[in-house]
Amino acid sequence: MNSSLLNKKSTGLVFALVAIFTFSCTNSNQKDKQKPLDTTTSGEISISVDETFQPIIEAELDVMHSIYPKAKINAHYKSETDAINDLLKDSARVAVVTRELTDEELKPLKANNIVVRSHKFAIDAVALIVNPANNDSTLSMNDVRDVFNGSAVKWSDLNDKLSKDEISVVFDNPNSSTVRYMKEIAGKDQFSAKNFFAMKTNAEVIDYVSKHKNALGVIGVNWISDADDATVNGFLKKIKVVAVSPDPDQPGFGEYRKPYQAYIAQKFYPLVRRVYVLSRESHMGLGTGFVAFVVSDKGQRIVLKSGLVPVTMPIRLVQLDNSLFQ
């Protein structure tokens, strides 16, 4: 056989093998890139959480991680605005917040065929707290609106028997869900800078109120609702929780009630809101697994224990003898 012809055939064979190998490797690499690195019960992801719900989400993750040891969910606690921005920018697959996305926020996602799924997770309440030295720990909803719309600036504006000192209203964060919620209650776009302040966390609000007699703190009830939690009990020793009376056309009108679980469930406590888990995950991954867990029976029992109201299981209310509390 002609040697030059043989060399040409050999060279052609080598090129063919190289081409096949290269294509195979490239195709394999593409498949590896496309293959999800996590499942519903394994892998590692980050989620963004409204800092208001840090206690309940930490409790959920402790249990989920113990059941699924191959799963690792890194929760980043921040303002609601930042948590939603993380979801929109794909910095987090899942966000835990107190509202669903607006049409404006959804528009660019829909343009890129990204679906955001919303799941109700719990019913929460906004708690108002005061210093133990404050002589008043009851407010009507009219009082609440007057404080937050600027009509009542001093404690004596609410009750002439109270201090003439200015009310220092303290929030957890300028971009928090509690700020947005109380703006809606007050019918305001902005609060007066004169007597409204913001810290960085709910824990800092509790600490501030415990040291300032004229402060009125606004926090998520989750920070003071789990009676079995030593940290919660420590917080409750430092402050007083305000009892609020609903408007005349609402359930429980005429009674001042604190944000206890039963009153939240019965809607007797008026400052309530829903908690949502938003997911933009495009495959059956760990984000989907987290959502499935928190709305499952186990996840909802954790919500129940935390003092919030679960959305997928009934609440058992027991009538107690009032003499027990006298």
Side-chain angles (χ1 to χ4, degrees):
M1 183 178 291
N2 190 305
S3 60
S4 62
L5 181 61
L6 180 61
N7 288 337
K8 287 181 180 180
K9 286 184 177 180
S10 299
T11 302
L13 180 60
V14 169
F15 278 125
L17 291 174
V18 170
I20 293 171
F21 179 77
T22 302
F23 176 80
S24 177
C25 288
T26 302
N27 197 39
S28 176
N29 287 337
Q30 288 177 344
K31 286 181 179 179
D32 287 343
K33 288 180 181 179
Q34 293 172 356
K35 184 179 178 180
L37 299 177
D38 58 282
T39 70
T40 55
T41 58
S42 67
E44 182 175 359
I45 64 167
S46 291
I47 66 173
S48 290
V49 181
D50 180 342
E51 187 264 344
T52 305
F53 306 109
Q54 182 172 344
I56 179 64
I57 296 303
E58 286 185 347
E60 294 280 359
L61 290 178
D62 283 346
V63 176
M64 183 174 177
H65 287 155
S66 68
I67 297 173
Y68 306 109
K70 293 183 179 180
K72 185 178 181 182
I73 298 175
N74 301 305
H76 301 281
Y77 302 101
K78 49 188 67 182
S79 72
E80 180 178 75
T81 299
D82 289 341
I84 288 176
N85 284 337
D86 284 350
L87 187 77
L88 297 176
K89 295 183 299 184
D90 201 19
S91 298
R93 292 189 202 170
V94 173
V96 180
V97 292
T98 63
R99 70 172 178 87
E100 297 179 281
L101 297 185
T102 65
D103 290 340
E104 195 65 27
E105 289 166 335
L106 287 170
K107 190 181 298 182
L109 298 176
K110 288 180 178 178
N112 289 289
N113 296 318
I114 297 170
V115 177
V116 175
R117 294 175 176 82
S118 172
H119 306 268
K120 290 178 186 176
F121 163 44
I123 300 174
D124 171 54
V126 171
L128 305 178
I129 58 174
V130 294
N131 186 278
N134 194 312
N135 292 326
D136 192 16
S137 58
T138 60
L139 294 172
S140 69
M141 276 301 293
N142 277 336
D143 291 335
V144 172
R145 278 188 285 267
D146 285 347
V147 170
F148 288 90
N149 66 25
S151 300
V153 178
K154 300 177 180 179
W155 286 103
S156 56
D157 293 336
L158 300 174
N159 184 333
D160 56 17
K161 295 180 180 179
L162 297 177
S163 166
K164 296 187 182 298
D165 292 328
E166 192 173 83
I167 304 169
S168 296
V169 180
V170 189
F171 286 99
D172 52 340
N173 186 293
N175 297 314
S176 74
S177 58
T178 53
V179 171
R180 180 179 59 79
Y181 180 80
M182 295 311 296
K183 283 179 182 177
E184 292 175 0
I185 292 294
K188 300 277 285 185
D189 292 328
Q190 294 294 331
F191 290 128
S192 166
K194 184 180 178 181
N195 65 321
F196 285 76
F197 308 92
M199 310 301 286
K200 292 182 179 179
T201 66
N202 283 260
E204 288 183 9
V205 175
I206 294 169
D207 185 62
Y208 182 91
V209 171
S210 72
K211 297 174 181 176
H212 295 81
K213 180 181 177 181
N214 298 310
L216 176 66
V218 188
I219 63 173
V221 75
N222 188 212
W223 283 88
I224 54 171
S225 58
D226 188 349
D228 295 328
D229 189 292
T231 302
V232 167
N233 287 320
F235 287 153
L236 289 172
K237 291 176 181 177
K238 298 167 65 175
I239 50 92
K240 286 197 297 189
V241 181
V242 175
V244 182
S245 173
D247 284 322
D249 59 342
Q250 297 301 310
F253 170 67
E255 297 289 336
Y256 291 87
R257 291 186 169 93
K258 296 182 179 182
Y260 296 146
Q261 190 176 52
Y263 298 148
I264 296 171
Q266 293 174 299
K267 300 181 181 178
F268 288 170
Y269 182 80
L271 301 174
V272 297
R273 56 190 184 168
R274 285 169 172 74
V275 188
Y276 297 90
V277 186
L278 309 181
S279 173
R280 61 175 290 158
E281 193 166 71
S282 59
H283 67 283
M284 292 290 286
L286 192 50
T288 303
F290 171 74
V291 173
F293 180 79
V294 297
V295 299
S296 71
D297 181 71
K298 281 189 176 67
Q300 291 291 284
R301 288 183 184 279
I302 295 169
V303 173
L304 186 65
K305 181 187 177 301
S306 77
L308 300 187
V309 177
V311 296
T312 61
M313 61 186 299
I315 301 292
R316 180 170 176 261
L317 301 174
V318 179
Q319 183 70 44
L320 299 178
D321 185 349
N322 288 334
S323 64
L324 296 174
F325 300 94
Q326 298 175 355

mmCIF file with all atom_site columns, all heavy atoms in Angstrom, residues 253-268:
data_model
loop_
_atom_site.group_PDB
_atom_site.id
_atom_site.type_symbol
_atom_site.label_atom_id
_atom_site.label_alt_id
_atom_site.label_comp_id
_atom_site.label_asym_id
_atom_site.label_entity_id
_atom_site.label_seq_id
_atom_site.pdbx_PDB_ins_code
_atom_site.Cartn_x
_atom_site.Cartn_y
_atom_site.Cartn_z
_atom_site.occupancy
_atom_site.B_iso_or_equiv
_atom_site.pdbx_formal_charge
_atom_site.auth_seq_id
_atom_site.auth_comp_id
_atom_site.auth_asym_id
_atom_site.auth_atom_id
_atom_site.pdbx_PDB_model_num
ATOM 1   N N   . PHE A 1 253 ? -63.619 44.549 69.181 1.00 0.00 ? 253 PHE A N   1
ATOM 2   C CA  . PHE A 1 253 ? -63.674 45.967 69.529 1.00 0.00 ? 253 PHE A CA  1
ATOM 3   C C   . PHE A 1 253 ? -64.064 46.151 71.002 1.00 0.00 ? 253 PHE A C   1
ATOM 4   O O   . PHE A 1 253 ? -64.915 45.448 71.525 1.00 0.00 ? 253 PHE A O   1
ATOM 5   C CB  . PHE A 1 253 ? -64.688 46.699 68.648 1.00 0.00 ? 253 PHE A CB  1
ATOM 6   C CG  . PHE A 1 253 ? -64.960 48.108 69.104 1.00 0.00 ? 253 PHE A CG  1
ATOM 7   C CD1 . PHE A 1 253 ? -63.965 49.063 69.036 1.00 0.00 ? 253 PHE A CD1 1
ATOM 8   C CD2 . PHE A 1 253 ? -66.205 48.459 69.628 1.00 0.00 ? 253 PHE A CD2 1
ATOM 9   C CE1 . PHE A 1 253 ? -64.209 50.364 69.473 1.00 0.00 ? 253 PHE A CE1 1
ATOM 10  C CE2 . PHE A 1 253 ? -66.447 49.746 70.063 1.00 0.00 ? 253 PHE A CE2 1
ATOM 11  C CZ  . PHE A 1 253 ? -65.451 50.704 69.988 1.00 0.00 ? 253 PHE A CZ  1
ATOM 12  N N   . GLY A 1 254 ? -63.412 47.091 71.641 1.00 0.00 ? 254 GLY A N   1
ATOM 13  C CA  . GLY A 1 254 ? -63.707 47.390 73.037 1.00 0.00 ? 254 GLY A CA  1
ATOM 14  C C   . GLY A 1 254 ? -62.773 46.712 74.014 1.00 0.00 ? 254 GLY A C   1
ATOM 15  O O   . GLY A 1 254 ? -62.781 47.027 75.205 1.00 0.00 ? 254 GLY A O   1
ATOM 16  N N   . GLU A 1 255 ? -61.967 45.777 73.527 1.00 0.00 ? 255 GLU A N   1
ATOM 17  C CA  . GLU A 1 255 ? -61.015 45.062 74.372 1.00 0.00 ? 255 GLU A CA  1
ATOM 18  C C   . GLU A 1 255 ? -59.582 45.370 73.918 1.00 0.00 ? 255 GLU A C   1
ATOM 19  O O   . GLU A 1 255 ? -59.308 45.421 72.730 1.00 0.00 ? 255 GLU A O   1
ATOM 20  C CB  . GLU A 1 255 ? -61.251 43.550 74.295 1.00 0.00 ? 255 GLU A CB  1
ATOM 21  C CG  . GLU A 1 255 ? -62.609 43.097 74.812 1.00 0.00 ? 255 GLU A CG  1
ATOM 22  C CD  . GLU A 1 255 ? -62.722 43.223 76.321 1.00 0.00 ? 255 GLU A CD  1
ATOM 23  O OE1 . GLU A 1 255 ? -61.667 43.213 76.991 1.00 0.00 ? 255 GLU A OE1 1
ATOM 24  O OE2 . GLU A 1 255 ? -63.861 43.332 76.826 1.00 0.00 ? 255 GLU A OE2 1
ATOM 25  N N   . TYR A 1 256 ? -58.713 45.581 74.900 1.00 0.00 ? 256 TYR A N   1
ATOM 26  C CA  . TYR A 1 256 ? -57.298 45.800 74.601 1.00 0.00 ? 256 TYR A CA  1
ATOM 27  C C   . TYR A 1 256 ? -56.578 44.468 74.731 1.00 0.00 ? 256 TYR A C   1
ATOM 28  O O   . TYR A 1 256 ? -56.592 43.847 75.792 1.00 0.00 ? 256 TYR A O   1
ATOM 29  C CB  . TYR A 1 256 ? -56.698 46.827 75.563 1.00 0.00 ? 256 TYR A CB  1
ATOM 30  C CG  . TYR A 1 256 ? -57.225 48.227 75.346 1.00 0.00 ? 256 TYR A CG  1
ATOM 31  C CD1 . TYR A 1 256 ? -58.386 48.665 75.975 1.00 0.00 ? 256 TYR A CD1 1
ATOM 32  C CD2 . TYR A 1 256 ? -56.556 49.111 74.494 1.00 0.00 ? 256 TYR A CD2 1
ATOM 33  C CE1 . TYR A 1 256 ? -58.864 49.948 75.774 1.00 0.00 ? 256 TYR A CE1 1
ATOM 34  C CE2 . TYR A 1 256 ? -57.023 50.397 74.285 1.00 0.00 ? 256 TYR A CE2 1
ATOM 35  C CZ  . TYR A 1 256 ? -58.181 50.809 74.924 1.00 0.00 ? 256 TYR A CZ  1
ATOM 36  O OH  . TYR A 1 256 ? -58.661 52.083 74.713 1.00 0.00 ? 256 TYR A OH  1
ATOM 37  N N   . ARG A 1 257 ? -55.972 44.044 73.647 1.00 0.00 ? 257 ARG A N   1
ATOM 38  C CA  . ARG A 1 257 ? -55.327 42.729 73.659 1.00 0.00 ? 257 ARG A CA  1
ATOM 39  C C   . ARG A 1 257 ? -53.894 42.823 73.136 1.00 0.00 ? 257 ARG A C   1
ATOM 40  O O   . ARG A 1 257 ? -53.593 43.575 72.214 1.00 0.00 ? 257 ARG A O   1
ATOM 41  C CB  . ARG A 1 257 ? -56.124 41.734 72.816 1.00 0.00 ? 257 ARG A CB  1
ATOM 42  C CG  . ARG A 1 257 ? -57.483 41.376 73.442 1.00 0.00 ? 257 ARG A CG  1
ATOM 43  C CD  . ARG A 1 257 ? -58.161 40.280 72.646 1.00 0.00 ? 257 ARG A CD  1
ATOM 44  N NE  . ARG A 1 257 ? -59.326 39.745 73.340 1.00 0.00 ? 257 ARG A NE  1
ATOM 45  C CZ  . ARG A 1 257 ? -60.570 40.180 73.160 1.00 0.00 ? 257 ARG A CZ  1
ATOM 46  N NH1 . ARG A 1 257 ? -60.798 41.158 72.313 1.00 0.00 ? 257 ARG A NH1 1
ATOM 47  N NH2 . ARG A 1 257 ? -61.580 39.628 73.813 1.00 0.00 ? 257 ARG A NH2 1
ATOM 48  N N   . LYS A 1 258 ? -53.042 41.991 73.719 1.00 0.00 ? 258 LYS A N   1
ATOM 49  C CA  . LYS A 1 258 ? -51.660 41.894 73.280 1.00 0.00 ? 258 LYS A CA  1
ATOM 50  C C   . LYS A 1 258 ? -51.567 40.890 72.128 1.00 0.00 ? 258 LYS A C   1
ATOM 51  O O   . LYS A 1 258 ? -52.496 40.094 71.922 1.00 0.00 ? 258 LYS A O   1
ATOM 52  C CB  . LYS A 1 258 ? -50.768 41.475 74.452 1.00 0.00 ? 258 LYS A CB  1
ATOM 53  C CG  . LYS A 1 258 ? -50.733 42.503 75.580 1.00 0.00 ? 258 LYS A CG  1
ATOM 54  C CD  . LYS A 1 258 ? -49.803 42.087 76.708 1.00 0.00 ? 258 LYS A CD  1
ATOM 55  C CE  . LYS A 1 258 ? -49.771 43.146 77.798 1.00 0.00 ? 258 LYS A CE  1
ATOM 56  N NZ  . LYS A 1 258 ? -48.844 42.802 78.910 1.00 0.00 ? 258 LYS A NZ  1
ATOM 57  N N   . PRO A 1 259 ? -50.473 40.909 71.385 1.00 0.00 ? 259 PRO A N   1
ATOM 58  C CA  . PRO A 1 259 ? -50.368 40.036 70.205 1.00 0.00 ? 259 PRO A CA  1
ATOM 59  C C   . PRO A 1 259 ? -50.059 38.579 70.549 1.00 0.00 ? 259 PRO A C   1
ATOM 60  O O   . PRO A 1 259 ? -49.046 38.025 70.128 1.00 0.00 ? 259 PRO A O   1
ATOM 61  C CB  . PRO A 1 259 ? -49.223 40.680 69.404 1.00 0.00 ? 259 PRO A CB  1
ATOM 62  C CG  . PRO A 1 259 ? -48.376 41.335 70.436 1.00 0.00 ? 259 PRO A CG  1
ATOM 63  C CD  . PRO A 1 259 ? -49.330 41.843 71.477 1.00 0.00 ? 259 PRO A CD  1
ATOM 64  N N   . TYR A 1 260 ? -50.974 37.972 71.328 1.00 0.00 ? 260 TYR A N   1
ATOM 65  C CA  . TYR A 1 260 ? -50.849 36.558 71.626 1.00 0.00 ? 260 TYR A CA  1
ATOM 66  C C   . TYR A 1 260 ? -51.386 35.756 70.449 1.00 0.00 ? 260 TYR A C   1
ATOM 67  O O   . TYR A 1 260 ? -52.240 36.220 69.695 1.00 0.00 ? 260 TYR A O   1
ATOM 68  C CB  . TYR A 1 260 ? -51.608 36.200 72.903 1.00 0.00 ? 260 TYR A CB  1
ATOM 69  C CG  . TYR A 1 260 ? -51.072 36.862 74.149 1.00 0.00 ? 260 TYR A CG  1
ATOM 70  C CD1 . TYR A 1 260 ? -51.945 37.246 75.172 1.00 0.00 ? 260 TYR A CD1 1
ATOM 71  C CD2 . TYR A 1 260 ? -49.707 37.091 74.323 1.00 0.00 ? 260 TYR A CD2 1
ATOM 72  C CE1 . TYR A 1 260 ? -51.473 37.853 76.330 1.00 0.00 ? 260 TYR A CE1 1
ATOM 73  C CE2 . TYR A 1 260 ? -49.229 37.689 75.479 1.00 0.00 ? 260 TYR A CE2 1
ATOM 74  C CZ  . TYR A 1 260 ? -50.108 38.075 76.482 1.00 0.00 ? 260 TYR A CZ  1
ATOM 75  O OH  . TYR A 1 260 ? -49.636 38.684 77.621 1.00 0.00 ? 260 TYR A OH  1
ATOM 76  N N   . GLN A 1 261 ? -50.913 34.532 70.330 1.00 0.00 ? 261 GLN A N   1
ATOM 77  C CA  . GLN A 1 261 ? -51.253 33.694 69.188 1.00 0.00 ? 261 GLN A CA  1
ATOM 78  C C   . GLN A 1 261 ? -52.765 33.554 68.983 1.00 0.00 ? 261 GLN A C   1
ATOM 79  O O   . GLN A 1 261 ? -53.269 33.684 67.860 1.00 0.00 ? 261 GLN A O   1
ATOM 80  C CB  . GLN A 1 261 ? -50.620 32.321 69.380 1.00 0.00 ? 261 GLN A CB  1
ATOM 81  C CG  . GLN A 1 261 ? -50.679 31.412 68.177 1.00 0.00 ? 261 GLN A CG  1
ATOM 82  C CD  . GLN A 1 261 ? -49.923 30.121 68.455 1.00 0.00 ? 261 GLN A CD  1
ATOM 83  O OE1 . GLN A 1 261 ? -50.157 29.459 69.461 1.00 0.00 ? 261 GLN A OE1 1
ATOM 84  N NE2 . GLN A 1 261 ? -48.992 29.787 67.579 1.00 0.00 ? 261 GLN A NE2 1
ATOM 85  N N   . ALA A 1 262 ? -53.504 33.299 70.054 1.00 0.00 ? 262 ALA A N   1
ATOM 86  C CA  . ALA A 1 262 ? -54.953 33.103 69.936 1.00 0.00 ? 262 ALA A CA  1
ATOM 87  C C   . ALA A 1 262 ? -55.641 34.363 69.419 1.00 0.00 ? 262 ALA A C   1
ATOM 88  O O   . ALA A 1 262 ? -56.549 34.297 68.583 1.00 0.00 ? 262 ALA A O   1
ATOM 89  C CB  . ALA A 1 262 ? -55.538 32.700 71.288 1.00 0.00 ? 262 ALA A CB  1
ATOM 90  N N   . TYR A 1 263 ? -55.220 35.527 69.896 1.00 0.00 ? 263 TYR A N   1
ATOM 91  C CA  . TYR A 1 263 ? -55.836 36.782 69.467 1.00 0.00 ? 263 TYR A CA  1
ATOM 92  C C   . TYR A 1 263 ? -55.475 37.124 68.024 1.00 0.00 ? 263 TYR A C   1
ATOM 93  O O   . TYR A 1 263 ? -56.278 37.729 67.306 1.00 0.00 ? 263 TYR A O   1
ATOM 94  C CB  . TYR A 1 263 ? -55.426 37.921 70.401 1.00 0.00 ? 263 TYR A CB  1
ATOM 95  C CG  . TYR A 1 263 ? -55.881 37.734 71.830 1.00 0.00 ? 263 TYR A CG  1
ATOM 96  C CD1 . TYR A 1 263 ? -55.130 38.222 72.895 1.00 0.00 ? 263 TYR A CD1 1
ATOM 97  C CD2 . TYR A 1 263 ? -57.066 37.056 72.120 1.00 0.00 ? 263 TYR A CD2 1
ATOM 98  C CE1 . TYR A 1 263 ? -55.546 38.049 74.207 1.00 0.00 ? 263 TYR A CE1 1
ATOM 99  C CE2 . TYR A 1 263 ? -57.489 36.874 73.429 1.00 0.00 ? 263 TYR A CE2 1
ATOM 100 C CZ  . TYR A 1 263 ? -56.724 37.369 74.471 1.00 0.00 ? 263 TYR A CZ  1
ATOM 101 O OH  . TYR A 1 263 ? -57.132 37.193 75.772 1.00 0.00 ? 263 TYR A OH  1
ATOM 102 N N   . ILE A 1 264 ? -54.282 36.730 67.608 1.00 0.00 ? 264 ILE A N   1
ATOM 103 C CA  . ILE A 1 264 ? -53.903 36.912 66.205 1.00 0.00 ? 264 ILE A CA  1
ATOM 104 C C   . ILE A 1 264 ? -54.777 36.022 65.327 1.00 0.00 ? 264 ILE A C   1
ATOM 105 O O   . ILE A 1 264 ? -55.292 36.455 64.292 1.00 0.00 ? 264 ILE A O   1
ATOM 106 C CB  . ILE A 1 264 ? -52.411 36.588 65.993 1.00 0.00 ? 264 ILE A CB  1
ATOM 107 C CG1 . ILE A 1 264 ? -51.530 37.565 66.780 1.00 0.00 ? 264 ILE A CG1 1
ATOM 108 C CG2 . ILE A 1 264 ? -52.051 36.642 64.505 1.00 0.00 ? 264 ILE A CG2 1
ATOM 109 C CD1 . ILE A 1 264 ? -50.065 37.168 66.799 1.00 0.00 ? 264 ILE A CD1 1
ATOM 110 N N   . ALA A 1 265 ? -54.958 34.768 65.754 1.00 0.00 ? 265 ALA A N   1
ATOM 111 C CA  . ALA A 1 265 ? -55.771 33.811 64.987 1.00 0.00 ? 265 ALA A CA  1
ATOM 112 C C   . ALA A 1 265 ? -57.221 34.261 64.893 1.00 0.00 ? 265 ALA A C   1
ATOM 113 O O   . ALA A 1 265 ? -57.858 34.106 63.841 1.00 0.00 ? 265 ALA A O   1
ATOM 114 C CB  . ALA A 1 265 ? -55.680 32.432 65.625 1.00 0.00 ? 265 ALA A CB  1
ATOM 115 N N   . GLN A 1 266 ? -57.742 34.820 65.972 1.00 0.00 ? 266 GLN A N   1
ATOM 116 C CA  . GLN A 1 266 ? -59.141 35.262 65.993 1.00 0.00 ? 266 GLN A CA  1
ATOM 117 C C   . GLN A 1 266 ? -59.334 36.654 65.406 1.00 0.00 ? 266 GLN A C   1
ATOM 118 O O   . GLN A 1 266 ? -60.461 37.135 65.325 1.00 0.00 ? 266 GLN A O   1
ATOM 119 C CB  . GLN A 1 266 ? -59.664 35.249 67.435 1.00 0.00 ? 266 GLN A CB  1
ATOM 120 C CG  . GLN A 1 266 ? -59.780 33.855 68.040 1.00 0.00 ? 266 GLN A CG  1
ATOM 121 C CD  . GLN A 1 266 ? -60.168 33.916 69.505 1.00 0.00 ? 266 GLN A CD  1
ATOM 122 O OE1 . GLN A 1 266 ? -59.452 34.475 70.332 1.00 0.00 ? 266 GLN A OE1 1
ATOM 123 N NE2 . GLN A 1 266 ? -61.326 33.358 69.827 1.00 0.00 ? 266 GLN A NE2 1
ATOM 124 N N   . LYS A 1 267 ? -58.236 37.297 65.044 1.00 0.00 ? 267 LYS A N   1
ATOM 125 C CA  . LYS A 1 267 ? -58.243 38.658 64.505 1.00 0.00 ? 267 LYS A CA  1
ATOM 126 C C   . LYS A 1 267 ? -58.688 39.685 65.541 1.00 0.00 ? 267 LYS A C   1
ATOM 127 O O   . LYS A 1 267 ? -59.153 40.777 65.192 1.00 0.00 ? 267 LYS A O   1
ATOM 128 C CB  . LYS A 1 267 ? -59.115 38.746 63.246 1.00 0.00 ? 267 LYS A CB  1
ATOM 129 C CG  . LYS A 1 267 ? -58.648 37.832 62.121 1.00 0.00 ? 267 LYS A CG  1
ATOM 130 C CD  . LYS A 1 267 ? -59.520 37.954 60.891 1.00 0.00 ? 267 LYS A CD  1
ATOM 131 C CE  . LYS A 1 267 ? -59.050 37.015 59.780 1.00 0.00 ? 267 LYS A CE  1
ATOM 132 N NZ  . LYS A 1 267 ? -59.914 37.089 58.577 1.00 0.00 ? 267 LYS A NZ  1
ATOM 133 N N   . PHE A 1 268 ? -58.548 39.351 66.831 1.00 0.00 ? 268 PHE A N   1
ATOM 134 C CA  . PHE A 1 268 ? -58.860 40.306 67.895 1.00 0.00 ? 268 PHE A CA  1
ATOM 135 C C   . PHE A 1 268 ? -57.722 41.318 68.068 1.00 0.00 ? 268 PHE A C   1
ATOM 136 O O   . PHE A 1 268 ? -57.949 42.422 68.536 1.00 0.00 ? 268 PHE A O   1
ATOM 137 C CB  . PHE A 1 268 ? -59.108 39.583 69.221 1.00 0.00 ? 268 PHE A CB  1
ATOM 138 C CG  . PHE A 1 268 ? -60.413 38.834 69.279 1.00 0.00 ? 268 PHE A CG  1
ATOM 139 C CD1 . PHE A 1 268 ? -60.684 37.962 70.324 1.00 0.00 ? 268 PHE A CD1 1
ATOM 140 C CD2 . PHE A 1 268 ? -61.376 38.995 68.297 1.00 0.00 ? 268 PHE A CD2 1
ATOM 141 C CE1 . PHE A 1 268 ? -61.884 37.273 70.392 1.00 0.00 ? 268 PHE A CE1 1
ATOM 142 C CE2 . PHE A 1 268 ? -62.579 38.307 68.353 1.00 0.00 ? 268 PHE A CE2 1
ATOM 143 C CZ  . PHE A 1 268 ? -62.843 37.443 69.396 1.00 0.00 ? 268 PHE A CZ  1
#
